[in-house]
Structures are given as structure tokens and as C-alpha cells.
Amino acid sequence: MGTARLLHVTRGVTAVVGSGGKTTLLATLARELPGTVVLTTTTHILPFAGVRTLLDPSPDEVASALERERFVCVGGRAGEKDHKLVAPACGVEALAARADYVLVEADGARRLPLKAHASWEPVVPAGATQTVLVVGAGGLGSPVREAVHRPEIFCELAGCAAEDPATPELVARVLRAEGLATRVLVNQADTPALLAAAGSLAGGLDVPVVAGSLRAGRLTELRG
């Protein structure tokens, strides 16, 4: 499949934003990339199953861990009763000095397939070489109020009502208005109909677009 190749992930810091598969994308890239990898966040993230988690380590502790394991997750503790991790105290820049790749989840979507962004998000770290925005194709065609995180912002940008279906054209309109991504991944497009919808979305964008299913291991470039 070559997810990292299709998304042109290079050494340094890559921010991942949007909805509908950010965690799966981060885990996939960590397995694929050839060097050492740190998974982290500028907002909050759940620990990755089977991946060693370092809680607010020093940069030297991160470097030491990467000598034994090719990729690790780094974050701060959100609270005693919260299983999520928050941004690590050492900062992304220090992590980038110790690892070949730093993959950063830079916003949240409350597990919904689509989202619009508030003025304060995403929290893309300085020095990020690109921002990959994930779109969940499973939300296309569903009512905005059901499929979209921050539906009121989506409606304002798209010029639609919350009861309207989130068509590929409306989603593309929102993505163009936000202008956040250097590259878009339309995930969950695991049927011919959803892949066709992803093609319609790609036609309304002016950045490279990859579509398919991360879980099924099938991705294709729709717009280079």
C-alpha cells in the first residue's frame, strides 16, 4: 500500500488533523516509516495498543527508549481518572531532535467521521513539514448534525443547514475555506460508492488527495 509514500511523509514533523481515522493513520505510519518514530499530540490522544508510552520524559529518555524500540508514544498525563495523554512538557521540537519522524495528532473530533475547526484549532506545531487532513468517507451523505464535529461551524462555512446531507461538494467547500491541509486522506472509502464520493470530494480541492481504506490496506492517489 505504501501509505507513507502516497502521503509523501518525510523526516521531521508531520501534523495529522481532521476526523475519521487519525489514530489508525498514525499507527500505520509508525509501522511503515523506516527510521525512529515518536507518536505524540499537541492536544490529547489515547495511548496506542502495543506501543510503549513515555509519560513526560526528558529528551534524553526519549533518545534512550528509541535505541531499544523503533517507535514510542510520548505524552503528558491528563489526570488520574483520564486515560488520555496531553502534550508532553518537553515539546515537539525537542522530540524532533531525537527521532527521525515525529507524528503529531493536532486536534480532536469526538469519534465523528467529519469535522470543522474552531478558531483555536488545529494546534499544528512550529516546524511541521506538512499537515495531513483525514476525512471519514463514512460520514458523507449523512445529515451534518449527525456526522460532523462542530456542525455549526461547518454550516457557516458551507452555507447549509444542519439537517442537510454532508455531500462531498459541501465537505470540499469547508476544506477549501479552512485551508489547513497540505494533503488530504479520505479514509473509510471501502466500497465503490464511497470511493466515487471521495473522487467527487477530490475534484473540489486544490491539494493532493489520497483515498481508500486504511484498515483494509487499500489506498489510491486521486489527485497528485
Side-chain angles (χ1 to χ4, degrees), residues 101-112:
Y101 302 88
V102 179
L103 308 177
V104 182
E105 183 167 324
D107 65 4
R110 296 190 178 176
R111 300 186 180 274
L112 290 168

Side-chain angles (χ1 to χ4, degrees), residues 75-111:
R77 193 187 302 276
E80 290 299 324
K81 297 182 180 180
D82 195 336
H83 297 298
K84 291 182 178 180
L85 305 174
V86 297
C90 65
V92 171
E93 184 176 358
L95 298 175
R98 270 71 178 180
D100 297 319
Y101 302 88
V102 179
L103 308 177
V104 182
E105 183 167 324
D107 65 4
R110 296 190 178 176
R111 300 186 180 274

Side-chain angles (χ1 to χ4, degrees), residues 13-107:
V13 180
T14 295
V16 176
V17 304
S19 52
K22 294 194 300 290
T23 300
T24 303
L25 175 59
L26 290 167
T28 299
L29 291 175
R31 292 192 301 268
E32 281 191 17
L33 290 167
T36 55
V37 180
V38 168
L39 299 163
T40 191
T41 183
T42 51
T43 55
H44 51 76
I45 196 172
L46 286 169
F48 291 80
V51 178
R52 182 180 177 189
T53 298
L54 307 177
L55 292 173
D56 271 332
S58 69
D60 287 343
E61 288 172 331
V62 175
S64 177
L66 289 172
E67 291 177 358
R68 300 185 297 275
E69 301 175 61
R70 194 176 59 79
F71 52 89
V72 297
C73 177
V74 176
R77 193 187 302 276
E80 290 299 324
K81 297 182 180 180
D82 195 336
H83 297 298
K84 291 182 178 180
L85 305 174
V86 297
C90 65
V92 171
E93 184 176 358
L95 298 175
R98 270 71 178 180
D100 297 319
Y101 302 88
V102 179
L103 308 177
V104 182
E105 183 167 324
D107 65 4

